[in-house]
Amino acid sequence: MEMNKNNLKVKRYIEQANKYIKEGEKELKEDNLLQASEKYWGAAAQMVKAWAESLEMRHNGHAWLFEGVSKLSLQTNDPLIKKQFLMAGMLHTNFYEGWLTKDEVETAASEIKAFCDKIKEIIKK
């Protein structure tokens, strides 16, 4: 199957999300909680962009990412999608504020990994 321009963008967003997860894992192991937080946020955001791109929807700006996830959560009848993305947003805030403990970042990171896997499956359908 030949990849069109849209499919290539989707693939790049997914690859970037995977890269951020690996970097987040490394940062977490090294107790760099701020950097780990931002990497996991980035992974979640890239996956939302991949989903939007797969449907040829716009995906610019933080507000749209949250709006898009709300739509996806409703469409799939899966409220966990929205909750997991809200955790990603919390990690993004932590990058600037630094108030989460390592346990809290690890908990959120686990949810973000599950979120990314779920979005990959949705895109494949």
Side-chain angles (χ1 to χ4, degrees), residues 3-114:
M3 284 231 163
N4 65 30
K5 182 180 176 184
N6 193 46
N7 289 338
L8 285 174
K9 285 183 180 181
V10 171
K11 183 180 177 193
R12 284 188 198 126
Y13 282 126
I14 292 171
E15 287 171 353
Q16 191 64 44
N18 292 336
K19 179 179 181 251
Y20 285 154
I21 287 173
K22 286 179 186 171
E23 290 173 357
E25 289 170 347
K26 178 182 177 284
E27 297 292 353
L28 200 49
K29 284 179 188 171
E30 295 175 1
D31 291 328
N32 295 328
L33 301 183
L34 301 182
Q35 288 300 317
S37 294
E38 191 67 352
K39 296 301 181 182
Y40 285 108
W41 155 256
Q46 293 297 303
M47 285 307 300
V48 175
K49 289 179 179 187
W51 166 75
E53 190 68 41
S54 74
L55 299 173
E56 298 182 359
M57 296 169 63
R58 71 180 180 91
H59 49 79
N60 56 321
H62 284 69
W64 188 92
L65 294 174
F66 285 91
E67 181 183 321
V69 167
S70 290
K71 288 178 184 178
L72 178 59
S73 183
L74 286 172
Q75 287 173 1
T76 59
N77 197 29
D78 185 349
L80 188 55
I81 287 174
K82 190 174 185 177
K83 290 177 184 176
Q84 289 170 323
F85 195 70
L86 288 170
M87 290 181 91
M90 179 183 65
L91 289 178
H92 186 48
T93 300
N94 191 58
F95 174 70
Y96 298 101
E97 302 294 332
W99 43 264
L100 292 176
T101 66
K102 184 171 185 177
D103 181 61
E104 291 164 338
V105 174
E106 287 173 335
T107 298
S110 176
E111 291 296 323
I112 300 314
K113 289 182 205 177

